Amino acid sequence: MDQSKSQQTALHTMALAALGVVFGDIGTSPLYTMKEVFAVGHHPLLLNQDNVYGILSLITWALLLIVSFKYVCFIMRADNRGEGGIMAMLSLASRYAGGDPNQRKRIMMLGIIGACMFYADGMITPAISVLSAVEGLEVAAPQLESWIVPITLFVLLLLFWAQSKGTAVVGAFFGPVMLTWFTVLGILGGINISHHPEILKALSPYYAFMFFNTQPGIAFIALGAVVLAVTGAEALYADMGHFGRTPIRLAWFCFVLPALICNYFGQGALILAEPESIQNPFYHLAPDWALYPLIILATLATVIASQAVITGAFSVSRQALQLGFIPRMHVEHTSEKTEGQVYMPRVNWGLMVAVMGLVLIFGSSGDLAAAYGIAVTGDMVITTLLAAVVFHHLWGWSKLKTASLISVFLIIDLSFFSANILKIPDGGWVPLLIGLIIFTLMRTWKTGRALLYSILKSESMELVPFIQAIGAHPPGRVSGAGVFMTPNPDGVPHALLHNLKHNKVLHDKVIILTVRFEDFPHTSLEERVSVEALPHAFYRVTLRYGYMDEPDLPRDLVLTEAHGLTLDTMDTSFFIGKEILLASDKPGMAFWRKKIFIGLFRTAETITNQFKLPPNRVVELGSQVKL
């Protein structure tokens, strides 16, 4: 009995924590969704009972079908060793491709596009969320309208500045704040529903059907704004590894979903009774005395929502880095207890500049909403396509069963995506441009690294004949171990050749070290290291990491002792090949892409940042390579 109570308490604690991280984005959607649906100048949707009922019905069933049915019931079951998100889905789908390079390339392209859409969403979410919260000043004190953008920029500056401090301390307050937020959403909505209880008729899908039947064109256009109610659905899947399926499902069905529906229906009842409140229906739900506390609470909620997106951007960036899609860069771990809490300075400040730029360019949440939907719906479509591969090939579903379910998902996703395409002239081009730029950089880096590896491999000596030559004509040996890092374990590292050429000696133990990143989140200690003893005190060592593991070579090389190779970490030196790249007309990539790759290569941080190598024991030996 005590154990059962303890498990129940732990479950409720995890559900509360999930409130503070998982549901921030979707939980702040009521700030702007209804306002954007009926916003003057965006689309000709008249404010009348039939339209309000139709929109509320669409929002309700979008939440039920997309979030509850698609993500909570099905997508969250597709975990990669407990982890979720676009990278986890990509890894699962890639396993189906096996040795088919074309199939693997198509799946990889889908995953990269999904990651690019995630980055675009990560830039827009903080901008629109914080803007919409601060815009409550228009209702509370209209004379402060000109201060909305400066205050928003100041809040964002504080938010991004605080990232380097870590989220461990602040995170303790996230759950209670979001618990208060969702409670307030439900109460405000419930009070207004009680004044006009007939609004609950819109829970029926009949009104959504009639809305499309009587005004199909306008209803289709309205989908571009209705989708704002489900932004953040992908966070349920992305953060699954932190909390698990059950706490997220518990928080969603028992608390978040009822609170959201109550608030949307409360706004619907209010705008039918007071049409002028459509300028900002969320804040008009509250009495005058509660406006300033509500603005403060809404700002805290949007900061938390933004924090979750920014943290997600760090996590995806680290995964992309370890899978070879972006250059090496500095990664700081901000918590001794939680490995997933990382801070990446370049990602943080780049994201801040982009978010602030969006705030300055658009100036209001209404204008920015036009740019919001494409990234979200694009990510939804890609997740569905990758899920089809997982359902059929990994779960063993029949083609009929897979096609039936995926068709339902695609009809919904493509409907919302198509409606958002209409917003491209009004700002929808922004996430497309952001995604295109990031896609070009990621593909260039991945292709450039493959090209560089191919050139270095073709120019390297075979390792076994080299060791035989060493045995026939042994050079001088010095005490200690020399670790030579190389992506090609069968070739002689260039750094080893340069060291032998210039210093005329070798270490007592020569380790040819290759680091590999797998397509699953974590590797166990048992599978982390493999050692192959070669003649003349040469060793071929491979360290394997999952894409969410923290690489630490000095720490993990100690594991070689269990395989018969004992290393004194204080007497071990690391040798790294440092290539000087030159663009050429050689085939492989377009010349302009080679120039971009070289620029990225030169700005990448030293490898010590990625692998936690001690700088005083790292020797970089360079060679010139023409791409």
Side-chain angles (χ1 to χ4, degrees):
M1 181 68 70
D2 291 340
Q3 184 178 2
S4 176
K5 287 183 178 179
S6 176
Q7 291 175 346
Q8 193 173 26
T9 301
L11 178 61
H12 292 161
T13 301
M14 290 296 287
L16 177 63
L19 276 180
V21 177
V22 177
F23 299 103
D25 193 358
I26 198 169
T28 53
S29 295
L31 282 166
Y32 45 78
T33 298
M34 290 294 286
K35 179 177 69 173
E36 175 60 19
V37 167
F38 293 97
V40 177
H42 285 269
H43 45 74
L45 185 59
L46 298 177
L47 182 56
N48 57 45
Q49 179 173 303
D50 290 340
N51 288 346
V52 171
Y53 278 30
I55 290 297
L56 288 176
S57 183
L58 280 176
I59 290 175
T60 300
W61 288 93
L63 289 170
L64 291 175
L65 292 175
I66 294 177
V67 185
S68 301
F69 184 63
K70 176 185 173 181
Y71 278 93
V72 175
C73 293
F74 286 97
I75 298 299
M76 284 179 62
R77 292 169 57 191
D79 68 291
N80 190 3
R81 296 196 180 187
E83 296 291 341
I86 189 68
M87 288 295 180
M89 185 69 80
L90 171 61
S91 298
L92 290 173
S94 295
R95 292 177 194 171
Y96 151 69
D100 185 346
N102 292 327
Q103 184 71 12
R104 193 176 184 88
K105 184 177 180 180
R106 286 191 290 267
I107 292 173
M108 196 65 68
M109 292 282 282
L110 273 178
I112 294 174
I113 294 172
C116 293
M117 291 296 98
F118 179 87
Y119 280 116
D121 180 36
M123 295 176 186
I124 298 173
T125 294
I128 191 173
S129 298
V130 178
L131 257 178
S132 59
V134 179
E135 283 173 349
L137 291 173
E138 293 178 336
V139 179
Q143 66 273 17
L144 296 178
E145 181 179 355
S146 60
W147 284 89
I148 290 176
V149 170
I151 292 175
T152 298
L153 294 175
F154 179 71
V155 171
L156 290 171
L157 178 63
L158 290 179
L159 173 63
F160 284 97
W161 172 80
Q163 295 306 309
S164 62
K165 312 302 177 184
T167 58
V169 177
V170 182
F173 299 98
F174 284 6
V177 169
M178 293 309 294
L179 178 65
T180 304
W181 170 252
F182 284 113
T183 301
V184 170
L185 288 185
I187 291 173
L188 292 177
I191 291 173
N192 284 272
I193 290 173
S194 67
H195 297 157
H196 306 279
E198 64 276 5
I199 196 72
L200 293 176
K201 294 179 181 178
L203 287 169
S204 170
Y206 168 80
Y207 291 95
F209 174 79
M210 290 304 298
F211 185 42
F212 266 93
N213 189 48
T214 56
Q215 306 176 82
I218 292 177
F220 176 73
I221 295 173
L223 287 178
V226 171
V227 74
L228 298 176
V230 297
T231 56
E234 68 281 357
L236 278 71
Y237 180 46
D239 290 313
M240 183 175 64
H242 297 289
F243 305 100
R245 297 188 193 92
T246 304
I248 292 175
R249 288 172 174 168
L250 178 66
W252 171 252
F253 285 114
C254 296
F255 198 69
V256 177
L257 179 61
L260 290 174
I261 290 180
C262 274
N263 196 265
Y264 284 122
F265 275 70
Q267 292 186 45
L270 176 66
I271 60 178
L272 283 177
E274 302 174 18
E276 65 278 4
S277 65
I278 193 56
Q279 297 302 321
N280 204 319
F282 175 80
Y283 282 109
H284 280 290
L285 288 175
D288 292 342
W289 60 266
L291 276 177
Y292 284 109
L294 185 59
I295 291 171
I296 294 173
L297 179 61
T299 303
L300 288 175
T302 55
V303 165
I304 291 171
S306 303
Q307 173 66 55
V309 172
I310 295 169
T311 302
F314 293 156
S315 178
V316 170
S317 297
R318 188 175 72 151
Q319 295 173 30
L321 182 152
Q322 296 185 179
L323 289 173
F325 290 111
I326 62 175
R328 294 188 298 266
M329 59 183 68
H330 186 52
V331 179
E332 296 179 10
H333 293 263
T334 58
S335 172
E336 295 181 358
K337 297 180 179 179
T338 306
E339 180 186 338
Q341 291 185 10
V342 297
Y343 169 65
M344 303 178 71
R346 290 187 177 183
V347 174
N348 183 64
W349 300 120
L351 201 59
M352 186 194 75
V353 171
V355 171
M356 288 186 167
L358 290 173
V359 171
L360 291 171
I361 291 171
F362 288 91
S364 72
S365 62
D367 291 336
L368 196 53
Y372 200 16
I374 287 184
V376 175
T377 53
D379 187 67
M380 289 178 179
V381 172
I382 290 169
T383 298
T384 298
L385 294 174
L386 293 175
V389 179
V390 174
F391 292 172
H392 178 55
H393 293 281
L394 292 185
W395 292 4
W397 285 15
S398 67
K399 290 184 179 180
L400 178 61
K401 182 179 179 180
T402 302
S404 300
L405 185 61
I406 293 299
S407 295
V408 173
F409 291 164
L410 279 179
I411 289 172
I412 298 171
D413 293 343
L414 290 174
S415 297
F416 281 110
F417 181 72
S418 301
N420 276 276
I421 289 177
L422 301 177
K423 300 195 295 185
I424 288 178
D426 297 323
W429 57 269
V430 171
L432 294 179
L433 178 61
I434 293 172
L436 178 62
I437 292 173
I438 297 175
F439 178 81
T440 301
L441 294 177
M442 292 177 76
R443 283 292 298 160
T444 298
W445 181 256
K446 185 74 171 178
T447 306
R449 289 292 296 176
L451 178 62
L452 177 61
Y453 172 75
S454 176
I455 293 173
L456 292 177
K457 184 177 181 180
S458 66
E459 295 177 352
S460 66
M461 296 176 58
E462 291 291 329
L463 180 60
V464 174
F466 173 79
I467 295 176
Q468 292 172 347
I470 291 293
H473 305 282
R477 309 290 286 237
V478 296
S479 63
V483 179
F484 296 87
M485 298 185 64
T486 176
N488 177 22
D490 298 316
V492 182
H494 283 204
L496 175 55
L497 292 176
H498 280 279
N499 180 59
L500 186 59
K501 176 182 177 180
H502 295 292
N503 297 324
K504 306 294 190 294
V505 294
L506 287 177
H507 289 76
D508 283 338
K509 297 176 182 176
V510 179
I511 290 88
I512 309 300
L513 176 62
T514 300
V515 178
R516 299 200 184 283
F517 291 97
E518 307 294 347
D519 64 353
F520 43 81
H522 302 287
T523 58
S524 64
L525 291 180
E526 290 75 19
E527 59 188 346
R528 177 69 51 84
V529 62
S530 63
V531 178
E532 179 185 357
L534 300 172
H536 308 295
F538 277 72
Y539 299 87
R540 186 153 38 197
V541 177
T542 301
L543 286 177
R544 294 179 176 84
Y545 294 99
Y547 60 75
M548 294 190 71
D549 284 329
E550 174 191 351
D552 189 334
L553 303 194
R555 177 198 66 194
D556 294 326
L557 282 175
V558 175
L559 300 173
T560 61
E561 187 171 357
H563 299 267
L565 173 59
T566 302
L567 297 176
D568 181 359
T569 55
M570 298 303 296
D571 196 22
T572 301
S573 299
F574 294 86
F575 293 82
I576 300 171
K578 183 178 182 182
E579 288 76 33
I580 301 171
L581 304 184
L582 299 174
S584 70
D585 294 328
K586 294 172 63 176
M589 278 199 305
F591 187 80
W592 64 272
R593 289 186 68 192
K594 289 181 181 179
K595 298 292 287 186
I596 292 176
F597 174 73
I598 291 173
L600 293 171
F601 195 90
R602 288 175 178 170
T603 58
E605 293 281 357
T606 175
I607 200 168
T608 57
N609 286 324
Q610 183 184 5
F611 295 124
K612 287 197 170 182
L613 299 179
N616 60 327
R617 286 189 282 129
V618 176
V619 180
E620 293 186 342
L621 299 170
S623 60
Q624 194 176 84
V625 180
K626 288 187 177 181
L627 293 177

